[in-house]
Structures are given as structure tokens and as C-alpha cells.
Amino acid sequence: YRHYDMVALLRCYGASSRQVLMIYLWLLLYTGVGSILLACLLGYFGQAVLEKILAQLVQVTLPATSLSGIWFSILAGLLVLLAFGLPPLWQLTRVTPLQILRRDLKPIPVSSIWLYISGLVVMSGLILWHIRDVRLTSIILLGCLAACALFLLGAWGLIKLTQQLRR
């Protein structure tokens, strides 16, 4: 919601929905690509540091860092960024210039279920592409869903417990 006023202002100045989408998409991509490249750089040097630490403790040689792993990381980062970033950006295209005048007008929000579904589909595809085994991918995804369910149940239990303690 924090970008609605800026988008409404851009729309008042004559920007089309497509132009607004492209502005915010480029902002998302610039920050995302910068973050992905920084993460790859930190991962590369972090592996070198871990190799030196482990060389003193264990007599095992780790495989060398390959460019294919870096490219996979960049591709995975971009796909996850777009999967979770595009639905909210698409929502910004529904903001009208009238929102500047009428504060009670809010665009119909994109259902958050679509955000989770798009992210789950992309993550499933990435896991399947990397592992190349449907059964193992299904087991991993079910394990992740079970873990999320347990975390939600634990969070709900903590909320109920703190409500009891507050009284």
C-alpha cells in the first residue's frame, strides 16, 4: 500500500499502467540483480574461507567452485524474485489517479494465495530441475509444507500461551 500514492501521482501526470509497471519492474530488477550478484560474490569467498578452515580440521578436498553453480544461483534468484515480486507489482497497475482525491479507494488486492502458488511453482520447478527426480522433489516439498505447518502451529500455540500469561 505504501506505493499507491506515488503510482496515483504518476497516473495523474499521464503515466499509463504499462509505464508504471515497467518503472517498478526495473526498480525490482536493479535491486534484485545487485543483491543476487552480491550474494554470489559472498558465497564464492565464503566457500574459500570455509575450505581453509576445514582443511585444518578434516582431510577432505572439496570440489572446486564452478561457473555452472553461480549461473544456477543467479537464475534461481531471478526466478524467485519474479515469482514473488510480480503479483504485487501487477497490483500497482490497478491504482487510479482518483486515489489521490479519495483516500478510501483502494484497488482490489491480489489474493495472497496467488503469491504463494507462484512462488511454490517456481521453487518446485527449480528443485526438480536441480535434482531431476520427481519422487525426491515431492518428498522435499511435502517436508517443507509439513515444516511450515508445524511452524504455524507453534506460532499459534505461542500466541495462545502469551494471551494466557497476559491475563
Side-chain angles (χ1 to χ4, degrees):
Y1 291 119
R2 69 177 189 214
H3 294 283
Y4 283 176
D5 289 340
M6 179 58 75
V7 171
L9 203 56
L10 287 171
R11 297 293 305 272
C12 284
Y13 290 139
S16 67
S17 295
R18 185 179 183 281
Q19 288 172 322
V20 169
L21 180 65
M22 293 310 292
I23 288 169
Y24 279 94
L25 182 63
W26 281 112
L27 284 171
L28 179 72
L29 288 176
Y30 282 142
T31 54
V33 167
S35 301
I36 290 167
L37 293 177
L38 180 64
C40 286
L41 198 66
L42 287 172
Y44 180 80
F45 289 116
Q47 180 177 345
V49 169
L50 283 175
E51 282 178 4
K52 289 185 180 186
I53 293 171
L54 288 176
Q56 297 170 357
L57 301 173
V58 181
Q59 297 298 325
V60 175
T61 54
L62 295 174
T65 306
S66 68
L67 285 179
S68 65
I70 294 173
W71 286 115
F72 179 78
S73 300
I74 291 171
L75 177 67
L78 283 174
L79 286 175
V80 170
L81 175 75
L82 291 175
F84 286 103
L86 280 181
L89 286 184
W90 189 258
Q91 177 66 32
L92 288 177
T93 63
R94 297 181 179 179
V95 174
T96 62
L98 192 57
Q99 190 201 345
I100 293 275
L101 299 173
R102 294 191 57 193
R103 293 312 225 175
D104 59 338
L105 284 182
K106 297 285 183 204
I108 301 168
V110 174
S111 175
S112 60
I113 192 73
W114 291 110
L115 181 66
Y116 297 124
I117 288 174
S118 66
L120 185 64
V121 167
V122 167
M123 294 300 289
S124 302
L126 285 171
I127 292 169
L128 182 61
W129 180 43
H130 195 64
I131 294 176
R132 293 184 176 93
D133 185 4
V134 176
R135 183 172 175 257
L136 186 57
T137 300
S138 301
I139 291 170
I140 290 171
L141 290 174
L142 287 174
C144 289
L145 288 174
C148 287
L150 286 174
F151 292 146
L152 285 173
L153 185 63
W156 178 78
L158 286 174
I159 289 171
K160 291 297 180 184
L161 180 66
T162 56
Q163 284 178 348
Q164 296 285 332
L165 294 175
R166 189 175 66 184
R167 291 183 192 148

